[in-house]
Amino acid sequence: MLTEARLKRWLDAYGQGWVTQSPETTLSLFAPDATYMYTPFHRLMRGHDDIRQYVERGAVGLQEDIHFSCEILAVTEAFGIARWKADLIWKETGERLRFDGIYQVFLNEQDLCTEFNEWWHSVPPLPEANAP
């Protein structure tokens, strides 16, 4: 059964992987066959290869001065829901981007994510080339 403490540990580690731009940290949080929904309007990623490609192409080296925070909104037996916020510098433009979104996280018994869904907005909008 998922608990708030388990979800918080996972979210903290996910945020740390993003802030430190560490694909290995991020990948270590996902089951090998996990799915990752970047937004409902983009291709669903499946498995470590897809997730690695997205993290390496869409984040690592493109962002700096990253700040991340998360607040758990709900925990069910099957999944947790959290609101997240981030701001960062997009290196290509030097612009500061601000994000506000929702995560839905499904964890297995080993605290690996099996399904990850996110809905978010950014100001200004994130370049579409960042999408998977």
Side-chain angles (χ1 to χ4, degrees):
M1 183 168 134
L2 185 58
T3 65
E4 190 169 323
R6 289 175 57 210
L7 179 60
K8 181 172 180 359
R9 277 193 302 274
W10 191 93
L11 290 166
D12 288 346
Y14 181 83
Q16 185 64 22
W18 184 3
V19 168
T20 61
Q21 299 281 277
S22 172
E24 293 307 318
T25 296
T26 301
L27 279 175
S28 74
L29 300 170
F30 288 87
D33 60 347
T35 60
Y36 189 125
M37 183 186 79
Y38 174 74
T39 76
F41 302 108
H42 291 91
R43 178 182 68 81
L44 182 67
M45 293 172 275
R46 294 182 185 279
H48 276 194
D49 288 343
D50 272 2
I51 296 168
R52 175 189 297 280
Q53 182 179 359
Y54 161 65
V55 170
E56 289 178 349
R57 191 183 119 237
V60 174
L62 301 175
Q63 307 167 2
E64 63 186 358
D65 193 25
I66 302 163
H67 303 271
F68 174 85
S69 64
C70 210
E71 171 192 8
I72 295 173
L73 301 177
V75 176
T76 72
E77 287 186 23
F79 61 86
I81 300 209
R83 180 179 183 193
W84 64 277
K85 293 183 179 186
D87 68 86
L88 54 87
I89 300 290
W90 194 257
K91 286 182 172 181
E92 186 176 294
T93 63
E95 212 167 12
R96 180 157 294 279
L97 302 178
R98 292 180 299 131
F99 296 83
D100 194 333
I102 297 290
Y103 291 148
Q104 181 184 37
V105 182
F106 293 78
L107 298 180
N108 65 18
E109 298 79 27
Q110 293 79 40
D111 289 341
L112 296 176
C113 184
T114 59
E115 183 179 339
F116 184 77
N117 302 310
E118 55 181 329
W119 298 263
W120 54 268
H121 292 282
S122 68
V123 175
L126 189 64
E128 185 61 29
N130 184 64

